[in-house]
Amino acid sequence: MSSNPSQTLSFHDLKRHNNDRDCWVAVHSKIYDVTNYLNSHPGGSSIILRYAGNDATAAYTEIHAPGIIEEALSPDCYKGLLDQAEVVNLPSEQKEENKTIEKTTGQSTSTETYTKPELFKLISTQDFENVARDTLTPKAWAFYSSAATDLVTHHGNSNIYRRIMLRPRVMRNVEKVETRRSILGCPSSAPFFISPAAMARLAHPDGELALARGCASEGLIQVISNNASYPLASVLEAGCTNQPFFFQLYVNADRPKTTQLLHKARELGVKAIFVTVDAHVPGKREADERIAAENVSSAISGAVASNDKKGGGMGRLMGQYIDRTLSWDDIPWIQETSRLPVVVKGIQSAADAKKAVEYGVQGIMLSNHGGRSLDTVQPSMLTLLELHRICPEIFQQCDIYVDGGVTRGTDILKALSLGATAVGIGRPFLYSLCYGQEGVEHLSQILKDELETSMRLAGITDIEQAGPGLVNTRDVDSLVPSSEKHDWIRWRPKAKM
């Protein structure tokens, strides 16, 4: 039959296109011809064919963010509107299928009753984590909270802050304090930003949109994940006029896709690229692997989570598109392609920090992927101290960012005192999404208040005054290498890196 995009079609019309040679589906009352898309769908054709000639809204909504289908299909694939009367009165077998989907992907299998506390009762990042543990689906919680193997680095990231002491000054006028800082030329109300964190929609239907709106309200910067659950354009549109956004890049093994993505990021107004270099392959996150993957996919990278013989780890299964050949020689290509400031995210040694400067990047991010990649690597704050000991000149050559384990205002102040330009915070903001945009704003205000209180009690009124005299690092100084080589082992491997 011929189609007119403005026409209304009956459910009977839809049902006629129900096989792999002629496949139509309805999503949010719009009917699409997806026949030519079956073989290119990141999740495979079988899931689409289950709904061939049917209303696929329920299944689509649980996996995808709104708008993805329009981005994936050409305009001529849209065939018209499904008769609204028939949307309300779906056939009985279609109604039952929707009910089954709801049953199998419900929020929790627990029989215990949990009442989420009112937002104003949460006063720390730990409170948000506690709520997330009891609110998210078991798989979403495992994906967000898990880290590599024995969690040594994951715990070390936060523990290191407890071993660095503050040395406050007293009897100073601290009535007014200034926390604003420029990050890569962009104004921020505080010296912290939202680190890239994948699939925020697992925590709240608005996902990255809520993060963007919260940042707009609080004057903060969001680094959008390459594995975000919403299209890049949708996230930027959710913000306000002139709101700065950065974009985290995983280089795709299909390089033309990365080229296209970088061009798109620039055209949309992204202000900087954070290229992740510490996850050529995902780490073994056992808590994530033990729970079967839900059918989720990224709106930007197209990565899809499923299951295999190793388990159901969403991080591993969604990271298979990442280019394992990525090397330092690719940095100029990323700079030239994006024509944006580039930050190398995942630096874990002074040697690589110096290498990054040689390639002319605007910044480096000391990060171990939140302990999610290689376990037992040193905490990012130890890497920060390593830079001071081995290459102190680097603090005048590029911006230095730190993430991993930041949960308190005192943590932010300690990182700033040791030369960090700003810190990134990831998991706590994912947890805050259990309350949507209001949760993002409330967490931001908690961190700002803690930072301001810490500054006043330390005797400073501007974050530009934070310096090494404000901290005592002696408890961890013995852990900081004095050179790029081992201090006393002289054995060398036969092959060079």
Side-chain angles (χ1 to χ4, degrees):
M1 63 177 287
S2 60
S3 62
N4 177 356
S6 63
Q7 69 182 334
T8 298
L9 302 173
S10 69
F11 192 80
H12 176 72
D13 294 330
L14 175 63
K15 289 284 285 185
R16 294 170 57 188
H17 307 270
N18 59 5
N19 57 71
D20 60 355
R21 298 177 302 281
D22 183 18
C23 181
W24 288 17
V25 296
V27 175
H28 296 306
S29 302
K30 295 181 179 180
I31 297 176
Y32 300 91
D33 181 352
V34 296
T35 309
N36 294 329
Y37 182 64
L38 291 174
N39 292 332
S40 58
H41 180 236
S45 61
S46 60
I47 183 66
I48 298 179
L49 289 172
R50 283 181 57 195
Y51 300 93
N54 279 302
D55 190 319
T57 301
Y60 172 91
T61 302
E62 292 187 11
I63 300 172
H64 302 293
I68 292 180
I69 193 167
E70 284 85 357
E71 288 202 358
L73 301 176
S74 58
D76 62 325
C77 292
Y78 172 55
K79 298 303 178 183
L81 291 172
L82 180 61
D83 190 331
Q84 292 299 302
E86 301 204 21
V87 172
V88 175
N89 301 294
L90 289 175
S92 58
E93 68 271 17
Q94 187 73 5
K95 289 182 179 180
E96 182 59 35
E97 188 164 29
N98 288 347
K99 289 181 181 178
T100 302
I101 291 171
E102 291 169 2
K103 291 175 185 175
T104 57
T105 59
Q107 275 290 311
S108 176
T109 57
S110 172
T111 57
E112 297 180 6
T113 301
Y114 173 75
T115 302
K116 186 167 66 173
E118 296 175 271
L119 181 58
F120 74 89
K121 295 182 179 179
L122 278 61
I123 61 173
S124 71
T125 59
Q126 185 62 52
D127 288 345
F128 280 98
E129 180 175 340
N130 294 341
V131 169
R133 183 184 293 108
D134 292 323
T135 303
L136 299 176
T137 66
K139 185 58 183 178
W141 169 251
F143 177 56
Y144 286 167
S145 65
S146 63
T149 52
D150 295 317
L151 315 184
V152 174
T153 296
H154 173 56
H155 294 308
N157 279 338
S158 56
N159 291 341
I160 193 72
Y161 283 101
R162 310 299 171 259
R163 298 182 62 182
I164 297 174
M165 302 292 108
L166 287 168
R167 303 174 64 229
R169 300 294 301 274
V170 298
M171 295 296 288
R172 293 182 172 183
N173 183 344
V174 292
E175 181 179 0
K176 297 180 180 180
V177 295
E178 179 60 75
T179 62
R180 290 177 295 179
R181 173 152 282 186
S182 175
I183 302 175
L184 294 170
C186 300
S188 176
S189 64
F192 62 87
F193 53 85
I194 298 183
S195 284
M199 306 309 298
R201 199 165 182 263
L202 292 174
H204 189 275
D206 289 343
E208 290 83 6
L209 307 186
L211 291 175
R213 294 165 185 151
C215 283
S217 176
E218 291 298 317
L220 298 175
I221 298 173
Q222 174 185 2
V223 185
I224 303 169
S225 170
N226 200 148
N227 284 332
S229 44
Y230 276 89
L232 187 58
S234 299
V235 181
L236 270 69
E237 289 170 2
C240 63
T241 304
N242 298 323
Q243 179 179 345
F245 289 90
F246 302 151
F247 179 67
Q248 175 232 9
L249 175 70
Y250 285 115
V251 175
N252 198 313
D254 186 349
R255 291 295 180 94
K257 289 186 177 179
T258 292
T259 298
Q260 183 180 21
L261 182 56
L262 288 173
H263 288 165
K264 184 175 185 179
R266 179 177 173 81
E267 291 168 1
L268 289 172
V270 167
K271 300 302 182 183
I273 302 296
F274 280 58
V275 55
T276 295
V277 299
D278 62 345
H280 281 51
V281 295
K284 185 184 180 187
R285 307 166 195 170
E286 295 179 355
D288 189 23
E289 295 286 1
R290 287 192 174 100
I291 303 178
E294 297 169 350
N295 288 321
V296 298
S297 65
S298 167
I300 297 176
S301 67
V304 176
S306 56
N307 297 278
D308 62 15
K309 293 181 178 179
K310 292 183 178 181
M314 287 174 58
R316 175 176 56 82
L317 295 163
M318 294 183 69
Q320 296 183 15
Y321 70 92
I322 298 172
D323 192 347
R324 299 184 184 186
T325 71
L326 183 68
S327 69
W328 286 109
D329 292 337
D330 293 313
I331 295 298
W333 167 67
I334 296 171
Q335 293 168 322
E336 293 166 9
T337 302
S338 68
R339 290 185 291 152
L340 292 169
V342 171
V343 175
V344 176
K345 178 182 180 293
I347 296 296
Q348 297 167 80
S349 68
D352 280 339
K354 292 193 292 184
K355 195 78 170 177
V357 170
E358 291 175 10
Y359 278 86
V361 300
Q362 277 68 35
I364 59 174
M365 190 162 181
L366 310 183
S367 173
N368 49 49
H369 224 81
R372 292 163 72 85
S373 287
L374 178 62
D375 197 19
T376 71
V377 303
Q378 66 183 13
S380 299
M381 282 295 281
L382 274 186
T383 306
L384 184 63
L385 292 172
E386 182 179 322
L387 300 189
H388 282 289
R389 181 165 284 180
I390 297 176
C391 54
E393 68 280 358
I394 201 169
F395 291 88
Q396 281 70 52
Q397 296 172 330
C398 70
D399 289 349
I400 312 291
Y401 303 101
V402 178
D403 83 346
V406 177
T407 61
R408 289 289 188 184
T410 50
D411 299 341
I412 301 171
L413 181 57
K414 290 170 186 178
L416 298 179
S417 298
L418 290 170
T421 305
V423 302
I425 302 174
R427 285 186 181 92
F429 276 105
L430 286 177
Y431 300 150
S432 75
L433 284 173
C434 291
Y435 294 88
Q437 177 184 342
E438 290 185 353
V440 176
E441 294 168 350
H442 189 57
L443 175 60
S444 301
Q445 292 160 11
I446 288 172
L447 290 168
K448 287 179 181 179
D449 182 68
E450 287 189 2
L451 175 60
E452 291 179 7
T453 299
S454 299
M455 290 171 62
R456 286 187 168 98
L457 292 175
I460 65 173
T461 57
D462 193 310
I463 56 173
E464 299 295 341
Q465 297 170 349
L470 201 61
V471 293
N472 180 343
T473 63
R474 290 188 179 184
D475 191 34
V476 298
D477 284 349
S478 61
L479 300 176
V480 183
S482 58
S483 72
E484 294 168 12
K485 298 179 180 179
H486 194 278
D487 288 344
W488 50 270
I489 296 178
R490 294 295 170 256
W491 173 84
R492 295 289 179 266
K494 293 181 180 179
K496 293 184 178 180
M497 294 177 64

